[in-house]
């Protein structure tokens, strides 16, 4: 996500699904996810998994599911049902391959306009690194609320507000920025992130805004993580040290009001 290696942006800023459908981006993103010490595995995943707890017997909805590797994990962990939503065709194709032979399913929908399901049938909603692509967060959160059973769990991760403020890192080593220029922190709204050979359109929000939006939609914030790097998941001590310089992610654990 926050690789700020100088590169020539290629074309106009693309909305989330179109960005991931860009051939160069899709291949580079997938390759990045297999690298040892990639930030998703070392930083974002541990708190998400901890916040979700036991998925045994749960119905799980995943917003911005990408390749649905998480769906496979959820079902192997005992989840009864898994539904992933995404609007990138390439991601969904990969997701169907990853879920083959399981009862997991994925659906094509744009989270910017998606209206959810008729009944509140999910015990758990998870959304990993997708909601900072969505402009109308308030609208989507009311949909999430409707999808969850009373008392249900909502875990979401986004790029850290410090990162989304500017996408302006320097002193890159091994692809990691270890200094970040923060400007316009309180000027919320659209940002352009030149990344993986294209430009992604993202949305910057402060922590206050995430908190207010969740509370106003009827969620109680139960735990918060800034994905503080822990030594164990890292193979390289050097990358661990680099990752302690700039926060990468924010993860919220919320409960739907009963
Ligand atoms: C960084 S990837 C994360 C994928 C997956 N959640 C994971 O953690 O591996 C972001 C995903 O959000 C999806 N996404 C972004 N904006 C979206 C939108 N408006 N509607 C549906 N999916 C969207 C993208 O297509 C992409 O698959």
């Amino acid at each position: 996500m926050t690789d700020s290696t100088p590169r020539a942006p290629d074309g106009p800023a693309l909305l989330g699904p179109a960005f991931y459908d860009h051939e160069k981006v899709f291949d580079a993103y997938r390759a990045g996810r297999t690298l040892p010490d990639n930030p998703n595995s070392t930083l974002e995943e541990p708190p998400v998994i901890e916040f979700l707890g036991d998925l045994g017997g749960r119905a799980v909805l995943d917003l911005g599911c990408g390749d649905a590797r998480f769906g496979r994990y959820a079902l192997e962990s005992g989840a009864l049902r898994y539904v992933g939503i995404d609007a990138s065709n390439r991601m969904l194709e990969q997701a169907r391959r990853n879920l083959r032979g399981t009862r997991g399913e994925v659906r094509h929908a744009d989270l910017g306009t998606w209206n959810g399901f008729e009944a509140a049938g999910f015990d758990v909603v998870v959304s990993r690194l997708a909601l900072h692509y969505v402009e109308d967060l308030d609208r989507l959160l009311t949909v999430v609320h409707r999808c969850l059973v009373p008392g249900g769990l909502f875990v979401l991760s986004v790029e850290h507000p410090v990162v989304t403020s500017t996408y302006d890192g320097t002193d890159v080593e091994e692809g990691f920025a270890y200094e970040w220029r923060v400007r316009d922190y309180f000027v919320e709204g659209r940002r352009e992130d030149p990344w993986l050979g294209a430009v992604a359109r993202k949305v910057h929000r402060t922590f206050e805004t995430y908190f207010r939006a969740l509370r106003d939609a009827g969620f109680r914030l139960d735990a918060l993580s800034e994905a503080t790097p822990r030594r164990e998941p890292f193979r390289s001590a050097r990358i661990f040290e680099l990752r302690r310089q700039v926060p990468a992610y924010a993860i919220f654990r919320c409960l739907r009001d009963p």
Side-chain angles (χ1 to χ4, degrees):
M1 46 126 249
T2 58
D3 173 6
S4 64
T5 310
R7 71 230 112 175
D10 172 5
L14 300 170
L15 300 179
F19 178 73
Y20 286 93
D21 273 340
H22 188 290
E23 192 177 346
K24 263 201 231 166
V25 169
F26 184 76
D27 291 343
Y29 179 78
R30 289 197 65 212
R33 292 290 298 263
T34 64
L35 292 177
D37 291 341
N38 74 78
N40 302 67
S41 307
T42 52
L43 296 173
E44 189 256 3
E45 191 155 290
V48 167
I49 298 301
E50 182 190 324
F51 282 3
L52 286 168
D54 183 6
L55 291 173
R58 310 279 183 197
V60 178
L61 174 64
D62 184 0
L63 304 179
C65 64
D67 67 9
R69 263 184 299 179
F70 171 75
R72 210 173 169 100
Y73 160 83
L75 292 163
E76 285 168 358
S77 305
L80 282 186
R81 186 177 178 210
Y82 171 85
V83 180
I85 306 282
D86 208 287
S88 155
N89 291 319
R90 284 179 193 268
M91 282 290 189
L92 287 172
E93 217 173 280
Q94 187 59 42
R96 289 190 183 99
R97 276 199 287 271
N98 286 343
L99 291 174
R100 200 169 285 152
T102 76
R103 53 184 176 279
E105 49 179 303
V106 288
R107 301 191 187 177
H108 184 285
D110 187 326
L111 297 174
T113 51
W114 180 65
N115 281 318
F117 298 97
E118 292 287 306
F122 291 91
D123 306 295
V124 177
V125 176
V126 63
S127 184
R128 301 179 62 182
L129 301 176
L131 298 192
H132 53 274
Y133 293 93
V134 174
E135 299 232 10
D136 193 346
L137 182 64
D138 294 341
R139 192 203 73 87
L140 181 59
L141 291 180
T142 63
V143 175
V144 174
H145 193 269
R146 271 207 310 276
C147 292
L148 270 175
V149 298
L153 177 63
F154 179 33
V155 173
L156 69 141
S157 67
V158 287
E159 289 185 356
H160 195 286
V162 157
V163 168
T164 58
S165 69
T166 49
Y167 292 102
D168 189 2
T170 52
D171 300 319
V172 170
E173 185 174 324
E174 298 181 48
F176 301 117
Y178 58 87
E179 278 182 15
W180 203 258
R181 274 185 288 271
V182 176
R183 291 183 306 277
D184 292 332
Y185 183 81
F186 294 104
V187 183
E188 297 181 293
R190 292 178 178 178
R191 296 292 192 274
E192 295 191 355
D193 178 15
W195 183 40
L196 303 175
V199 182
R201 162 76 54 75
K202 298 184 182 174
V203 182
H204 168 61
R205 300 180 179 93
T206 63
F207 267 116
E208 277 181 21
T209 292
Y210 279 115
F211 177 79
R212 178 203 51 73
L214 287 162
R215 189 203 50 203
D216 290 356
F219 293 102
R220 191 156 39 82
L221 185 62
D222 175 63
L224 169 68
S225 166
E226 292 182 283
T228 305
R230 300 175 200 159
R231 181 65 187 87
E232 321 82 68
F234 287 89
R235 288 204 217 160
S236 154
R238 177 76 191 138
I239 293 180
F240 170 62
E241 280 309 321
L242 290 175
R243 283 303 192 188
R244 297 175 81 190
Q245 310 305 309
V246 179
Y249 305 115
I251 300 108
F252 301 84
R253 182 182 197 273
C254 315
L255 298 169
R256 192 198 127 145
D257 292 339

